[in-house]
Amino acid sequence: MKEKIRPIYSELQGYLSQAPEPIPGRETTSNGVEIVEQLNSSIEELEEISGDDYSRYKENIKITKSGSTRYFDLLSYRSSLGGLISRLHGKYFSDENPPFSGMPSTVINQNQSQITYVQVLLEMQSKIDSKIPEYEEGTRERSFLEKVKSSLSGISDINSLVVLILKTAKDLGLTLEQIFSIFS
């Protein structure tokens, strides 16, 4: 049964990932009414395969009083999809990672952030190394570069790097324009 349900389970997750976010004040839309029909069709297929009733997750397409426009509620659509996916996970796929845990993407994002941070740090160090010889010993600019370079090993993130640069510049009496000039 689980393997017969899996394609529909994946399909529903795909629908949710592509569902438009409701905008405050505009929770309904007439765009893409077909996606409600797709959801309801998938639910009917799911009911046929599983023998269970999932009709409470079906969505209704509404029609304006004039009868000229068909529309649906985005928040309700997303809620129905999320509820149905969670229900299927609990019933058939509880031994797998929850579909909304966010953990895999969080780990990927953290790794990407760390890689980006290391790249920025290496580029900064390289830039400083190339700029130091351009300034004579004892100048504020050279002192700034040397002080920032010697403090790079204690930096843990991009924010700390920005703070280090600004604080060092302030301590040495350099303006923002002078910092831009140093690194350009």
Side-chain angles (χ1 to χ4, degrees):
M1 178 69 68
K2 182 177 179 177
E3 292 314 309
K4 288 183 179 180
I5 301 290
R6 185 176 301 282
I8 297 171
Y9 178 65
S10 296
E11 179 181 353
L12 295 171
Q13 289 179 47
Y15 291 162
L16 185 58
S17 73
Q18 298 302 308
E21 293 280 341
I23 299 168
R26 300 186 69 210
E27 286 83 11
T28 62
T29 185
S30 58
N31 295 330
V33 170
E34 301 79 25
I35 65 174
V36 172
E37 294 167 347
Q38 285 177 320
L39 169 63
N40 291 342
S41 175
S42 295
I43 291 172
E44 288 168 9
E45 183 181 357
L46 176 63
E47 289 175 330
E48 190 176 303
I49 292 170
S50 69
D52 294 328
D53 179 16
Y54 293 102
S55 61
R56 72 182 193 175
Y57 297 102
K58 286 186 175 182
E59 282 297 306
N60 295 317
I61 298 171
K62 300 166 179 85
I63 301 174
T64 57
K65 289 181 183 176
S66 67
S68 62
T69 306
R70 295 169 13 134
Y71 68 97
F72 68 99
D73 184 313
L74 287 168
L75 189 56
S76 177
Y77 174 80
R78 291 179 64 85
S79 295
S80 291
L81 264 171
L84 180 55
I85 292 166
S86 293
R87 176 79 181 255
L88 293 174
H89 177 266
K91 185 166 184 173
Y92 297 102
F93 307 101
S94 61
D95 58 329
E96 299 175 10
N97 285 333
F100 307 121
S101 68
M103 292 183 70
S105 64
T106 301
V107 170
I108 290 168
N109 288 339
Q110 286 172 345
N111 287 342
Q112 287 172 340
S113 293
Q114 189 66 25
I115 290 167
T116 302
Y117 160 69
V118 169
Q119 287 172 334
V120 167
L121 206 56
L122 291 173
E123 287 176 26
M124 177 61 76
Q125 188 165 3
S126 176
K127 185 74 162 177
I128 290 171
D129 287 339
S130 71
K131 291 292 186 171
I132 286 176
E134 294 179 17
Y135 298 96
E136 289 187 32
E137 285 239 13
T139 61
R140 289 187 299 170
E141 291 83 355
R142 185 164 180 148
S143 296
F144 167 77
L145 291 167
E146 289 171 342
K147 190 167 186 177
V148 170
K149 181 181 176 181
S150 69
S151 300
L152 286 177
S153 62
I155 299 300
S156 59
D157 58 30
I158 300 292
N159 292 335
S160 300
L161 177 62
V162 172
V163 169
L164 170 67
I165 290 170
L166 295 175
K167 184 175 181 340
T168 305
K170 182 181 175 192
D171 291 347
L172 293 170
L174 294 173
T175 65
L176 214 47
E177 290 79 22
Q178 289 170 310
I179 297 171
F180 286 133
S181 175
I182 290 170
F183 287 113
S184 62

